[in-house]
Amino acid sequence: MRNLKLVHSVCVVGLDDIAGTQCVTVDCDTGTVYCVTSDRITGLDPKTQQVLHSVSLIENAYVSMDGTGQIVGIQYLPDQMSVCIATAQGDVILWNTTNNELECVGSVDSGLCSMCWSPDQEVVVLATGQATLIMMTRDFEPVTEVPIYSDEFGEAQFVTVGWGKKETQFHGSEGKQAATKKQERAGPALPWDNRRPRVSWRGDGQYFVVSSVRPDTGTRELRVWSRECVLQSTSENVNGLEQALFWKPSGSLIASTQRKPNKHDVVFFEKNGLRHGEFTLPFEKDEVKVVELMWNTESTILAVWCEELPPANNKQEEFHPRSYVQLWVVNNYHWYLKQSLQFGADGTENLVAMTWDPEHANCLHTVTAEGRYTQYTWSWFTDCSHGQEDDANVAVIDGATVLMTPFRTMVVPPPMSAYSLQLPCAVNQVVFAPPPHSNYLAVVLVDGQVAVYTFEKDSVEMDETVRLCAAGGIGFKAVCTLPRLEMFYSIIFEDTSISAAKFPLWAYHLTWVSNQCIVFTMLDTKGSRCILCQAELRNAEGQSGKLVVINTSDVEGSVFGICVNPRSGHVAVQLTDGTVLRYEPDSNILLPWELLDGRELVFPQPCVSMQGCDIGGQEVVLGLTQRFRFYVNDVEVASNCTSFAVHDEFLLLTTHAHTCRCISLSTKVKDLPNLSDGKAHPFDESIRRVERGSRIVTVVPNDTKLVLQMPRGNLEVIHPRALVLSAVRKLLDCLEYKQAFTLMRRHRINMNLIYDHNPQVFLKNVETFVRQIEEVNHINLFLTDLQEEDVTVTMYTAAYCRDQPADNSEDKTKKVDSVCDMVRQALEKQDTGRYILSILTAYVKKSIPELDIALQRVKALKAQPQTNMVSAEEALKYLLFLVDVNELYDVALGTYDFELVLMVAEKSQKDPKEYLPFLNNLRKLETNYQRFTIDKYLKRYDRALEHISKCGPEHFSECLILIRDHLLYPKALKLYAMHSQEYKDISVAYGQYLTDKKQHEEAGLIYSKAGEHELALNAFEQAGNWRQVFIMSSRLGYGDERIGIIARRLVGSLKGKRRHLEAACVSEQYAQDVEEAIVVLIEGCQWEEALRMMYKYKRTDFIESDFKTALLENCDMQMSNLESDRKQFEQYKTRLVVVREDKERQRLDLIEGIGNYNEADADLFSDTSSATGETGMSSKLSQRSTAYSKSSGRSSRNRKKSERKKWSLKEGSPYEDIALLETLSKTITQIDQLKDDVSPLLKMLVLFNYETQAADLQKRYESFLQFIQKSLPVIWDNSNDHIGAAKPSMGPDSTVNSIVMARQHGERATPDVQIEPSLGIPPSLSKDKSWKLSTLEI
């Protein structure tokens, strides 16, 4: 649904050297245009409008001096920097443009009729006057010569396989008479046919086609030849076939023309000579003849050059024919006439030469008889309205018809439309008005008039120029607002001294900038100046008005595009060099478009499509180049953009990566390049895949519809998630819950968004929500979709940009429960009977389902049935739909209401022979014991305990069994009096359970409370609580001898647990053994306490015998340990650096695709390979993943053992770096804690005159600590960041977001090993220096 828009034109007038041009060619490198007339060759530079070269052909006698010489072909050869010319006399001339010399490289005595070079310019084909074809190389060496005419069909002769006769075949609508119908013979060539052969090459240079007139029958035929000049096929007989010929560069079709009795067609042939479609030219019978057909280099535009024929009754001697150039395009098997150029009828303005530019696909060069050269450059453009409240109209030009479709109302696939505008002549441009009348449009006709259409909603009569198509008609009412032709306007100049060069399409870039103001561009009469015109619409009496040019401004350069910002009304004018100017219509001033930083806006490349809008609070100009580079101001946002459109809140792009990107208009311009990288981020609703080659037609304002057109022409309407979420947000802000719910339901948006969008507002307006939604099923859908998560920070992160809230379990459960309660209360206020199913849903959906209350509501329905309410049976069926029947049966049984139980059981699949005896037995039991039995059956053991405790002593044994089986000791102790026998029995059982669980301390406390002091003493002794042991022995009345035995046992136990101080205290105070106490203190390195006890009990003999010896031995041991630990620390540190360097090198090799790793290495680089797209290890990774899944069921102990094996210090192991890091961390912590042992040792060494040993120990220890402090930055560098991440990138606690973010940031993922986060942080060293002795530092 795109039109051709003229973006640039060049006009050169007053050049006598090119008057009467017969052929034209273009040098694509320099842009020089070479024109050949009957007497000379001229090189013209359109940029400077100067003649660069000119050489006469008469001086060298290549053409006759009387000016009747004819040129049959011209071609510029860039490799030779020469122009090749073929004359009708038979000469092939080569003109060297560098030295301006002519050379005749060949001559044919019989003359030449045509010359055509192959696309690669390696071969040239010449058609001679003797009806032969001569093929020559680029050096003009003959290859072959063959006759044009042949009775043979060619090598591609059709083969008849003998399947039936013509008389027995099916002939469709023609009927059986088609079998006997004789084939119509082709007539002779038309009188105006020059009867010369035409040659055209296929785009790949492998075949060429020749159109020639047979000498025997006088009919035109097409013959296809191979590059070796071998005949391939001959066309079928076509009556009225004309001389025009061009092979489509893409190679699919050969175009020619055919005159029929009642119409004039452009017909197409396949390579095998068979017909393949046609379209009809918009001319009357015998009105024109087709001079040339030309495809552009991209095979997208077919130019048809026509010339008027003299009327049959014309008896004048002189006839001045008009010339027409029509540009046709095909889409969805329909041919559209997009542009029409009409040249004058004074005999000198008619077209004499035309060619497409070989480099720029949409650039056309034309030369008229009087020597006026004109260059037209078009671009593809979608003409659509840009208002906020309009109908999203899109206009498609098709000759004298404008096809209109309002996409807000309907989507009509081309070539159809909602309605069409029938104009008196061909249309060249359609312009829509700015807001607020953005539905209005102006249609520019080929005769220079402008037709203005307006829309009036109250209009009853349909305009005669409007024809309904898909929007209604034929008795049906129109389903959209139709336009009305206001008036035809003619462009006139208020200042009569101003005039324009009146060549075809002289007024272009028409832009409707305000209510009555239209801006357009034109060239002056000499074509040297570009003028920007401001015109005003003025109505006049009758059917015609005036588009009066009231102001003009000279432009320094040539205008390449004009656009208007629909919001601000500012006009941006782009020049051919990319410079953007701001035009002020009120003051008629052109100023540079300044950016916020003061720079003038200049696009890096000229943009064929422009639009103004606001992005990030800044007014910007959007531009899209022909090479798919998209700019916002001068910032390149995308290099593969195929189309764009501006929505209320988003900028939409389609790319060659087959994606549609929605960029928020609130984004800062500086951040845009990062947003359009084409990468699909997790839960990023701003990007989605589209069909290959999709382009944006329009986006409906204040709606979610985005219309895309596929390459073949069909339309596809999508609703990008970003636009849908934007619309939902607006509706929720306006409390339009009904529309928001409908939109979310249609596009499958999570219903939690209704609450999560603004929880406080929703809870305040729950009653409004219920009134608007109204439908029971819709309310049920909302309730059943409720989840604890906040979808604005999980699913729709990009649309809300909210932070993850703190993990608070109370708040998380509050959401579903509060919403269910509030909705239920609102429903009960509205109509309990009508919304009973929704009320039941609210009970069931709560975090802890209140099924018992729901069942009671169902029971109430059964007890009090009403006609306008849902029946109890229907309510119960619905409840069973939400909840499993067995679960509901258990809940009913838990209410102790047997009537309710029977009601549920009847709706289940349970066998009455099973549940009826069970219920009957329960009814016979005493109430408390009955409820105990039910609770035990339902495994509600806490309630069962409460009920069994009320059943009396006869059931206590059963109660104790329940307590033991289900570990209900704490609850059971609360149910019985402290001094009762039941309490004591439960306590003894509880203590035994704690003892079996090795919880001796708690067991002793329980025994003590129950008065079982002997059991308590044993428990405390096993727990090592020696104080409670002697308390219990005192309460039991033990004597000193027995207490001493217990004390000696405790001393041995405490020594084994390295509690030497406590062991010495027990030995001194309870065992009365001072010597043992002193020895225990020396063994435990409790130097000061041992020395104190020696002097207290006058046993200083231990100083020489035991104390000093132990002191020196401990000093030697500490120094030895420090030396070995430091050596090992240095070794591990050095190895860690080496391992990290090796892994980094391997990671880089993997990214470059040159790595070759074993299976064990795959875990370390799985993240890198995923990020870079490498798949070399995919099979190994899948095998490891399968193995991991199979082994995930192992016990926790085995799994931890397996992890310890993976963290091996063995060189080359997969996780050697992690094992080294853990070992170094433990060593640092142990060395730092050694201060508590070193400090008292140093003091004792100094006290007993061992200063030398003390100084050596202090120096070594301090040196080790300093070395550790310096090593911390080396050990914990940036490579440990992934270990200290807040969230694991893999594992059971990970999410899709965390996994993908880890991949994108290059983090390592270790799915089968759990790494402690503390390993990523270096252990802190104590800064306390009090352990040192200053006397030892001298």
Side-chain angles (χ1 to χ4, degrees):
M1 303 186 72
R2 296 185 297 166
N3 298 322
L4 283 175
K5 178 181 179 181
L6 182 63
V7 295
H8 180 55
S9 67
V10 177
C11 183
V12 182
V13 298
L15 295 179
D16 296 334
D17 289 345
I18 62 174
T21 297
Q22 298 183 13
C23 297
V24 63
T25 187
V26 181
D27 177 4
C28 58
D29 295 329
T30 63
T32 304
V33 179
Y34 294 98
C35 304
V36 56
T37 64
S38 60
D39 59 353
R40 67 176 50 251
I41 312 171
T42 303
L44 170 67
D45 186 0
K47 297 178 183 178
T48 61
Q49 300 189 358
Q50 300 295 323
V51 174
L52 302 179
H53 315 281
S54 183
V55 61
S56 174
L57 297 176
I58 298 178
E59 295 177 358
N60 297 280
Y62 292 121
V63 295
S64 60
M65 299 182 64
D66 57 0
T68 59
Q70 294 185 0
I71 308 299
V72 298
I74 185 172
Q75 179 67 49
Y76 180 76
L77 306 176
D79 292 345
Q80 303 180 32
M81 300 183 68
S82 302
V83 179
C84 182
I85 306 156
T87 66
Q89 295 180 358
D91 294 328
V92 179
I93 306 167
L94 202 62
W95 174 36
N96 192 310
T97 58
T98 57
N99 55 23
N100 211 30
E101 293 183 354
L102 290 174
E103 179 186 1
C104 181
V105 294
S107 180
V108 179
D109 295 338
S110 60
L112 294 175
C113 300
S114 178
M115 177 187 74
C116 189
W117 284 80
S118 63
D120 57 6
Q121 296 186 352
E122 294 291 335
V123 180
V124 61
V125 174
L126 303 173
T128 69
Q130 293 182 344
T132 61
L133 296 177
I134 299 176
M135 179 173 287
M136 305 176 69
T137 65
R138 59 181 298 176
D139 298 326
F140 302 100
E141 295 180 359
V143 176
T144 184
E145 181 176 2
V146 296
I148 294 177
Y149 308 109
S150 174
D151 294 334
E152 297 180 358
F153 180 86
E155 289 188 347
Q157 173 71 48
F158 299 112
V159 178
T160 302
V161 296
W163 289 348
K165 298 181 180 180
K166 183 176 181 180
E167 291 79 3
T168 61
Q169 292 177 351
F170 178 69
H171 298 280
S173 60
E174 294 184 0
K176 294 183 177 180
Q177 61 271 19
T180 59
K181 184 178 179 180
K182 295 183 179 179
Q183 186 176 2
E184 183 180 358
R185 293 191 61 183
L190 299 170
W192 50 82
D193 194 325
N194 59 18
R195 309 182 73 83
R196 289 182 178 177
R198 296 290 187 94
V199 182
S200 179
W201 284 85
R202 198 170 74 172
D204 59 0
Q206 297 301 312
Y207 296 95
F208 64 91
V209 60
V210 178
S211 174
S212 59
V213 178
R214 289 185 63 92
D216 51 351
T217 61
T219 60
R220 270 203 176 266
E221 292 181 339
L222 303 185
R223 288 179 173 82
V224 178
W225 303 76
S226 68
R227 189 181 180 91
E228 291 76 23
C229 216
V230 176
L231 181 63
Q232 297 297 305
S233 62
T234 304
S235 68
E236 57 182 289
N237 293 330
V238 177
N239 189 29
L241 191 64
E242 296 182 318
Q243 63 186 7
L245 179 72
F246 208 95
W247 199 323
K248 191 175 182 181
S250 62
S252 57
L253 297 175
I254 301 168
S256 186
T257 58
Q258 179 189 11
R259 184 173 298 277
K260 294 182 179 180
N262 58 348
K263 59 182 179 179
H264 202 168
D265 289 349
V266 175
V267 295
F268 302 101
F269 295 85
E270 297 179 1
K271 184 174 74 72
N272 56 13
L274 297 179
R275 284 281 300 276
H276 187 93
E278 70 277 327
F279 67 87
T280 302
L281 296 175
F283 296 106
E284 299 295 334
K285 177 183 178 182
D286 296 336
E287 182 181 355
V288 298
K289 66 176 180 179
V290 178
V291 181
E292 290 288 352
L293 294 175
M294 290 186 183
W295 291 95
N296 66 340
T297 55
E298 292 182 350
S299 301
T300 54
I301 305 174
L302 176 61
V304 181
W305 172 11
C306 303
E307 191 174 284
E308 272 188 331
L309 291 173
N313 56 0
N314 181 33
K315 298 182 180 180
Q316 299 179 3
E317 296 181 358
E318 189 175 353
F319 173 71
H320 302 296
R322 289 189 179 92
S323 297
Y324 305 92
V325 175
Q326 297 181 340
L327 304 185
W328 293 81
V329 300
V330 63
N331 206 342
N332 222 9
Y333 301 100
H334 178 78
W335 284 90
Y336 297 86
L337 175 55
K338 292 297 183 183
Q339 292 282 288
S340 297
L341 286 70
Q342 182 174 328
F343 294 83
D346 57 358
T348 58
E349 288 290 337
N350 64 317
L351 188 67
V352 293
M354 178 185 76
T355 187
W356 285 104
D357 193 277
E359 181 70 19
H360 304 285
N362 298 339
C363 181
L364 184 68
H365 304 267
T366 63
V367 182
T368 61
E370 69 169 3
R372 185 181 68 209
Y373 164 81
T374 312
Q375 179 187 122
Y376 300 95
T377 303
W378 288 275
S379 70
W380 295 102
F381 189 78
T382 302
D383 292 308
C384 58
S385 56
H386 293 286
Q388 295 298 314
E389 302 296 336
D390 59 27
D391 294 333
N393 288 302
V394 175
V396 179
I397 297 174
D398 188 9
T401 303
V402 178
L403 307 177
M404 299 287 296
T405 301
F407 281 98
R408 184 183 294 277
T409 308
M410 61 183 65
V411 178
V412 182
M416 297 185 295
S417 62
Y419 57 90
S420 62
L421 309 180
Q422 305 295 323
L423 282 304
C425 57
V427 178
N428 281 333
Q429 188 178 355
V430 176
V431 183
F432 282 92
H437 304 294
S438 52
N439 279 328
Y440 293 9
L441 70 154
V443 181
V444 183
L445 306 180
V446 69
D447 60 2
Q449 293 192 93
V450 179
V452 176
Y453 283 84
T454 60
F455 284 76
E456 297 180 2
K457 293 185 178 180
D458 299 331
S459 178
V460 179
E461 296 183 0
M462 188 174 69
D463 193 282
E464 60 181 6
T465 63
V466 178
R467 180 176 298 173
L468 286 174
C469 301
I474 318 178
F476 293 94
K477 183 181 177 180
V479 295
C480 63
T481 304
L482 299 177
R484 180 181 61 85
L485 177 62
E486 179 181 323
M487 195 171 292
F488 287 97
Y489 292 83
S490 299
I491 300 177
I492 64 171
F493 292 88
E494 192 173 54
D495 186 354
T496 57
S497 63
I498 300 175
S499 61
K502 297 290 186 171
F503 60 90
L505 302 180
W506 64 274
Y508 58 104
H509 286 309
L510 267 79
T511 307
W512 203 332
V513 297
S514 64
N515 189 26
Q516 295 294 326
C517 179
I518 290 179
V519 174
F520 65 89
T521 305
M522 71 174 187
L523 299 178
D524 64 355
T525 54
K526 296 182 180 180
S528 59
R529 287 186 303 120
C530 184
I531 302 174
L532 186 64
C533 303
Q534 178 185 352
E536 186 179 64
L537 292 169
R538 294 179 182 177
N539 296 336
E541 296 181 1
Q543 295 297 321
S544 63
K546 304 295 183 183
L547 184 59
V548 182
V549 178
I550 58 176
N551 289 312
T552 60
S553 299
D554 291 345
V555 182
E556 295 181 1
S558 183
V559 176
F560 199 73
I562 301 176
C563 71
V564 181
N565 188 330
R567 293 183 181 271
S568 65
H570 294 159
V571 182
V573 179
Q574 180 195 183
L575 306 183
T576 52
D577 61 354
T579 302
V580 179
L581 307 176
R582 184 192 298 269
Y583 178 64
E584 301 291 345
D586 297 335
S587 57
N588 192 34
I589 297 177
L590 272 173
L591 298 174
W593 189 288
E594 292 188 356
L595 303 177
L596 294 180
D597 56 4
R599 294 182 296 110
E600 296 181 0
L601 175 57
V602 179
F603 285 131
Q605 299 178 20
C607 296
V608 295
S609 182
M610 293 172 57
Q611 189 168 345
C613 71
D614 297 335
I615 296 181
Q618 174 185 354
E619 186 175 14
V620 299
V621 181
L622 311 177
L624 178 63
T625 70
Q626 197 170 3
R627 298 296 182 183
F628 311 110
R629 295 188 177 274
F630 180 71
Y631 296 98
V632 177
N633 287 341
D634 55 355
V635 178
E636 182 177 333
V637 176
S639 60
N640 61 345
C641 176
T642 57
S643 62
F644 73 95
V646 179
H647 189 254
D648 310 331
E649 298 182 5
F650 293 93
L651 171 64
L652 295 98
L653 309 176
T654 57
T655 67
H656 281 304
H658 322 307
T659 59
C660 175
R661 187 66 190 261
C662 306
I663 302 175
S664 174
L665 293 182
S666 61
T667 308
K668 298 297 182 183
V669 175
K670 63 179 181 178
D671 297 331
L672 289 176
N674 296 328
L675 289 177
S676 108
D677 54 7
K679 296 180 180 179
H681 304 291
F683 299 110
D684 186 356
E685 303 291 357
S686 66
I687 188 171
R688 63 163 289 169
R689 301 287 295 178
V690 294
E691 188 174 336
R692 180 185 296 272
S694 300
R695 293 178 186 267
I696 296 176
V697 175
T698 188
V699 56
V700 180
N702 293 321
D703 204 336
T704 62
K705 286 194 293 189
L706 175 64
V707 184
L708 302 175
Q709 187 170 26
M710 307 302 110
R712 58 183 175 272
N714 60 307
L715 299 182
E716 180 178 337
V717 177
I718 64 173
H719 298 263
R721 189 55 60 94
L723 271 62
V724 174
L725 291 174
S726 174
V728 170
R729 291 201 306 268
K730 291 180 181 178
L731 293 172
L732 292 176
D733 289 336
C734 299
L735 302 183
E736 296 291 342
Y737 292 111
K738 178 66 174 180
Q739 298 181 38
F741 181 87
T742 303
L743 192 62
M744 295 171 68
R745 184 165 172 257
R746 181 183 300 123
H747 298 288
R748 298 185 179 182
I749 303 295
N750 194 297
M751 292 297 172
N752 284 269
L753 190 62
I754 296 177
Y755 171 85
D756 294 333
H757 173 74
N758 195 329
Q760 293 76 16
V761 172
F762 176 80
L763 293 178
K764 291 179 181 179
N765 297 275
V766 171
E767 294 185 8
T768 304
F769 169 77
V770 171
R771 283 197 304 270
Q772 290 186 14
I773 299 300
E774 193 177 10
E775 288 290 334
V776 175
N777 291 336
H778 292 173
I779 297 176
N780 293 344
L781 177 61
F782 168 73
L783 291 173
T784 52
D785 266 4
L786 286 176
Q787 297 173 337
E788 300 297 347
E789 66 173 317
D790 185 354
V791 295
T792 62
V793 297
T794 55
M795 297 182 68
Y796 308 121
T797 310
Y800 283 87
C801 300
R802 294 181 181 176
D803 297 330
Q804 180 72 36
D807 188 10
N808 191 329
S809 59
E810 295 181 0
D811 293 340
K812 289 178 68 175
T813 56
K814 184 178 178 181
K815 171 186 172 181
V816 176
D817 291 348
S818 61
V819 172
C820 289
D821 290 339
M822 295 292 291
V823 171
R824 176 176 52 79
Q825 294 171 11
L827 293 172
E828 290 173 345
K829 289 181 180 179
Q830 291 289 325
D831 189 347
T832 302
R834 178 182 179 186
Y835 295 111
I836 185 62
L837 298 183
S838 299
I839 294 173
L840 295 177
T841 306
Y843 282 122
V844 172
K845 187 58 183 178
K846 296 186 70 173
S847 56
I848 301 178
E850 298 177 349
L851 299 178
D852 51 346
I853 302 178
L855 285 172
Q856 293 296 339
R857 298 295 292 261
V858 175
K859 182 181 177 182
L861 282 178
K862 186 176 182 180
Q864 298 177 351
Q866 297 182 13
T867 57
N868 60 341
M869 295 175 60
V870 177
S871 65
E873 184 177 358
E874 293 177 351
L876 184 58
K877 284 183 179 180
Y878 178 74
L879 204 57
L880 290 172
F881 171 74
L882 298 177
V883 185
D884 180 68
V885 63
N886 295 320
E887 182 181 356
L888 199 62
Y889 174 82
D890 292 343
V891 172
L893 186 61
T895 63
Y896 316 117
D897 188 338
F898 293 100
E899 182 180 355
L900 196 61
V901 175
L902 286 172
M903 186 174 66
V904 174
E906 289 173 355
K907 299 297 181 182
S908 69
Q909 301 295 324
K910 291 181 177 293
D911 188 355
K913 294 180 180 180
E914 295 179 359
Y915 66 80
L916 287 178
F918 174 70
L919 296 178
N920 292 331
N921 292 333
L922 289 176
R923 293 188 184 198
K924 298 176 183 178
L925 302 176
E926 186 268 336
T927 303
N928 286 323
Y929 193 74
Q930 177 193 82
R931 294 184 176 182
F932 159 72
T933 306
I934 293 174
D935 290 332
K936 186 178 180 182
Y937 172 78
L938 297 178
K939 299 181 180 180
R940 300 188 305 189
Y941 301 114
D942 288 348
R943 292 189 181 184
L945 179 61
E946 293 178 5
H947 291 120
I948 193 65
S949 64
K950 300 175 183 178
C951 294
E954 62 272 13
H955 293 288
F956 179 72
S957 59
E958 195 173 354
C959 176
L960 192 60
I961 294 173
L962 177 68
I963 295 170
R964 285 175 176 171
D965 291 344
H966 303 289
L967 309 178
L968 301 175
Y969 300 104
K971 188 174 182 63
L973 291 174
K974 295 178 182 179
L975 296 174
Y976 288 95
M978 182 175 293
H979 301 291
S980 63
Q981 183 62 36
E982 290 87 354
Y983 186 91
K984 185 174 182 180
D985 293 342
I986 295 173
S987 297
V988 172
Y990 191 18
Q992 184 61 43
Y993 166 74
L994 292 174
T995 302
D996 295 340
K997 298 290 288 184
K998 307 298 182 183
Q999 298 176 8
H1000 302 290
E1001 186 85 19
E1002 291 187 45
L1005 294 174
I1006 297 298
Y1007 285 138
S1008 179
K1009 286 182 65 177
E1012 296 292 337
H1013 301 304
E1014 184 73 31
L1015 296 174
L1017 185 147
N1018 294 332
F1020 285 129
E1021 183 176 353
Q1022 292 181 12
N1025 190 339
W1026 56 275
R1027 293 179 179 85
Q1028 286 289 348
V1029 169
F1030 292 115
I1031 291 174
M1032 292 297 109
S1033 62
S1034 176
R1035 297 181 70 175
L1036 290 169
Y1038 288 168
D1040 294 340
E1041 183 178 357
R1042 190 165 185 180
I1043 289 176
I1045 296 172
I1046 294 174
R1048 282 187 287 274
R1049 285 204 313 266
L1050 283 172
V1051 168
S1053 175
L1054 292 172
K1055 284 172 60 179
K1057 298 177 181 179
R1058 300 187 62 82
R1059 294 162 62 181
H1060 294 87
L1061 275 175
E1062 296 175 83
C1065 181
V1066 171
S1067 179
E1068 176 191 7
Q1069 296 181 12
Y1070 294 97
Q1072 306 298 326
D1073 191 346
V1074 175
E1075 294 181 0
E1076 178 65 21
I1078 294 174
V1079 172
V1080 169
L1081 290 172
I1082 294 174
E1083 289 179 1
C1085 299
Q1086 303 296 325
W1087 312 112
E1088 291 184 348
E1089 182 64 21
L1091 198 61
R1092 182 192 69 79
M1093 193 172 289
M1094 292 177 198
Y1095 282 100
K1096 177 182 178 181
Y1097 292 103
K1098 311 296 184 184
R1099 295 302 305 272
T1100 56
D1101 54 305
F1102 277 97
I1103 295 176
E1104 297 296 335
S1105 62
D1106 296 87
F1107 189 85
K1108 288 185 178 180
T1109 305
L1111 196 66
L1112 292 174
E1113 288 178 354
N1114 188 261
C1115 177
D1116 293 339
M1117 181 190 69
Q1118 293 288 2
M1119 293 179 67
S1120 176
N1121 290 341
L1122 286 174
E1123 183 177 357
S1124 61
D1125 289 345
R1126 177 162 183 167
K1127 182 178 180 181
Q1128 188 182 56
F1129 185 87
E1130 293 177 353
Q1131 179 183 353
Y1132 287 163
K1133 172 192 166 186
T1134 305
R1135 178 59 188 169
L1136 180 62
V1137 173
V1138 173
V1139 170
R1140 285 176 176 168
E1141 290 176 352
D1142 290 343
K1143 290 195 173 183
E1144 179 64 18
R1145 184 175 62 257
Q1146 293 173 356
R1147 186 182 71 84
L1148 296 176
D1149 290 345
L1150 180 63
I1151 293 176
E1152 297 175 0
I1154 60 176
N1156 184 17
Y1157 311 112
N1158 56 30
E1159 181 180 351
D1161 294 327
D1163 289 336
L1164 302 179
F1165 309 107
S1166 61
D1167 59 326
T1168 306
S1169 61
S1170 299
T1172 58
E1174 299 292 338
T1175 58
M1177 297 184 297
S1178 59
S1179 61
K1180 293 184 178 180
L1181 288 174
S1182 62
Q1183 292 171 5
R1184 290 180 58 81
S1185 176
T1186 305
Y1188 176 71
S1189 63
K1190 290 181 179 178
S1191 63
S1192 59
R1194 296 179 298 185
S1195 65
S1196 175
R1197 184 182 63 181
N1198 291 339
R1199 193 179 304 114
K1200 291 180 180 179
K1201 182 178 180 181
S1202 175
E1203 290 177 8
R1204 286 196 298 270
K1205 287 182 179 180
K1206 284 181 176 290
W1207 290 13
S1208 172
L1209 289 171
K1210 182 180 179 180
E1211 291 190 9
S1213 61
Y1215 302 99
E1216 183 184 359
D1217 55 341
I1218 300 175
L1220 290 169
L1221 196 65
E1222 183 189 32
T1223 304
L1224 290 171
S1225 178
K1226 290 180 179 179
T1227 302
I1228 293 171
T1229 303
Q1230 292 171 0
I1231 297 301
D1232 187 54
Q1233 294 173 353
L1234 199 60
K1235 295 176 182 178
D1236 298 334
D1237 296 336
V1238 173
S1239 179
L1241 179 60
L1242 292 175
K1243 295 175 183 178
M1244 289 299 104
L1245 289 172
V1246 172
L1247 184 63
F1248 289 99
N1249 300 319
Y1250 296 117
E1251 287 87 350
T1252 303
Q1253 289 87 338
D1256 191 11
L1257 177 60
Q1258 178 173 306
K1259 182 178 179 181
R1260 290 193 182 189
Y1261 184 55
E1262 184 178 15
S1263 174
F1264 196 1
L1265 288 175
Q1266 292 174 355
F1267 179 72
I1268 289 174
Q1269 188 68 41
K1270 293 178 181 179
S1271 301
L1272 291 180
V1274 179
I1275 299 172
W1276 280 271
D1277 57 1
N1278 295 332
S1279 61
N1280 299 318
D1281 292 346
H1282 67 282
I1283 297 178
K1287 288 185 178 181
S1289 59
M1290 286 290 188
D1293 297 327
S1294 62
T1295 62
V1296 175
N1297 277 334
S1298 65
I1299 295 172
V1300 179
M1301 292 300 290
R1303 295 285 192 239
Q1304 293 176 352
H1305 289 83
E1307 297 177 6
R1308 294 192 313 176
T1310 55
D1312 51 352
V1313 175
Q1314 296 296 327
I1315 303 176
E1316 292 293 336
S1318 59
L1319 289 181
I1321 304 174
S1324 59
L1325 295 176
S1326 175
K1327 297 182 180 180
D1328 183 17
K1329 302 293 184 181
S1330 60
W1331 65 274
K1332 296 171 57 178
L1333 297 178
S1334 59
T1335 57
L1336 299 177
E1337 294 181 352
I1338 302 175

